Each structure stands twice: as structure tokens, then as C-alpha cells.
Amino acid sequence: MPWCPICKNEYIEGKTHCPDCDADLVEKLPEEPEEEPAPVSDLTPEELADIAARTASASQMNTHVSARDRHSEMKSSAWTFLAVGGIGFLVITLALAGVLILPFNTFSLAVMEGMFLIFLVIAGISFKNAMKILDDISREDDLETRIRTWADKHLTMEDLTAGIEEDTPEEMKYFIISEAIRERLMPAFPEVDDAYAEELVETLYNELFQ
């Protein structure tokens, strides 16, 4: 498939010119060399302190909830609404039919039955949303597999600790290495949000160094 060398858009076979960039299409885009982050040894104390501050801030803002956890919470809520709504609707229906005697008038019973009916509707919507999250789980699992394959190839203890002095405090080493992992991870996987990236950095750091 031909590509535009300027906007990087892909065109169908037979196209030879990009109308947006006014450029001739090429069969293959040239590979762009990966930009290597600056060696730790070249960083100033101020830059190291900034790395530590940004890493600590990102850690405190970590609010990532995995698709698998969201699916579990959604199903749990759905079952709760279904149980409460189903039992309540049945009891009120029996009361309206005169089978059960409750200390409420007909209007109050009708209002409560409507409320429990709403619970059943919420349960149905929750189950439907939980089913939709299954696609997110599949995509997240695929993304994590690709990230781990990439990490096995691009993240090594020797590379991440290059330039770090032996007398560097352990906490500062953690901040420096975490930032180095993040700087390599984010360009390779720009679809990863900040919260998920922080969780991945923590996981990868622990697997490599602990």
C-alpha cells in the first residue's frame, strides 16, 4: 500500500499522489531511529531532583483501574440491583394483590414497586455494560502482552543503571530508573494513559530489580 512521506497517511493501491501534502506517495515509509534518552551521568542535580519530584507526583496520582476490575465491579453492582429489585418487586406485587399485608396504602406500595422496577432496569443496564467491558479486557490483555514482549527486548538492568553512581541513594536510584523506564515506554506505546503507565513502570521496575 502506498504512503505519504509527509503526513504518513496510507492510500489504496493505484494512488500515486497525496492531495493534502501535494507529495508523491512511496511504497514504504523510512524507519525513524529511536531517540535515546540522555544518559543519567549527563543530568544535573536540578534535573535529577525534577525527575524525583515528577515520579513522586505521578505515583500519588495513580488511579488506574483495569478493565478486569471494572468488569468485576460492574457485575457485582448488577447482581446487587437485581437481587434487591427482584425481591422488592415480588414482595410489593404480592402486597398489591392482597396476598401479603404491609402497613402501607396502595399509593405508597405503587411508588415502591416503581422504585424496585427501576432497580431491575439498572441491573439490566449494568449487565449490558459489563458485557461491553469484555472487549476492553481483551484489548488490555493484548496491550500488556505487547508491552511485556517489548520490555524483554528493550529494558535491561545494565542499560537502565548505566551512568548511575554506586553511592547514589536508593530512593534516588528508584526515581531515576523509573523515569528511564517511562521515557522508553511512552513513545513506544502512546495509547497508554498516565495512570496505567505509572502502574506499568512500578511493575516493570519491581520485576527487574526486586
Side-chain angles (χ1 to χ4, degrees):
M1 302 289 283
W3 297 76
C4 174
I6 298 178
C7 66
K8 316 297 185 187
N9 284 335
E10 183 181 13
Y11 288 85
I12 61 174
E13 291 292 348
K15 289 285 186 179
T16 60
H17 197 75
C18 176
D20 297 326
C21 305
D22 192 27
D24 292 332
L25 304 181
V26 296
E27 287 300 320
K28 184 178 180 182
L29 292 175
E31 295 185 2
E32 298 182 359
E34 295 185 4
E35 183 178 347
E36 292 292 332
V40 176
S41 57
D42 293 343
L43 300 178
T44 65
E46 291 77 12
E47 289 172 329
L48 292 176
D50 181 63
I51 288 175
R54 284 188 286 122
T55 303
S57 176
S59 179
Q60 294 174 356
M61 295 174 61
N62 182 16
T63 57
H64 174 70
V65 179
S66 70
R68 206 172 293 278
D69 288 341
R70 287 189 286 115
H71 179 262
S72 177
E73 292 174 3
M74 188 69 68
K75 282 190 66 178
S76 177
S77 297
W79 281 113
T80 300
F81 277 110
L82 180 62
V84 175
I87 294 173
F89 187 83
L90 177 61
V91 170
I92 300 301
T93 299
L94 292 175
L96 288 171
V99 177
L100 294 177
I101 304 300
L102 296 178
F104 302 104
N105 58 35
T106 302
F107 177 76
S108 297
L109 291 174
V111 171
M112 285 189 286
E113 186 167 49
M115 179 186 68
F116 288 121
L117 181 60
I118 291 174
F119 281 11
L120 293 175
V121 172
I122 294 175
I125 294 174
S126 297
F127 277 119
K128 184 178 180 180
N129 290 336
M131 292 297 294
K132 291 180 180 179
I133 297 177
L134 291 176
D135 292 335
D136 294 337
I137 293 176
S138 178
R139 285 192 292 269
E140 197 170 90
D141 287 346
D142 176 69
L143 176 60
E144 184 172 345
T145 299
R146 291 191 290 113
I147 289 175
R148 289 192 173 279
T149 300
W150 169 87
D152 289 341
K153 182 179 179 182
H154 293 87
L155 298 180
T156 64
M157 294 179 59
E158 294 77 10
D159 181 40
L160 294 172
T161 57
I164 300 179
E165 300 293 337
E166 291 186 4
D167 58 350
T168 301
E170 289 300 320
E171 183 173 329
M172 183 60 72
K173 286 183 180 179
Y174 166 77
F175 289 137
I176 295 172
I177 295 171
S178 296
E179 182 70 11
I181 295 174
R182 187 180 293 103
E183 287 180 349
R184 289 161 172 77
L185 174 68
M186 296 307 290
F189 300 94
E191 67 270 32
V192 173
D193 61 40
D194 291 339
Y196 189 27
E198 179 60 27
E199 181 179 296
L200 288 168
V201 168
E202 182 77 16
T203 299
L204 293 172
Y205 176 89
N206 289 335
E207 291 179 354
L208 280 170
F209 296 94
Q210 296 182 11

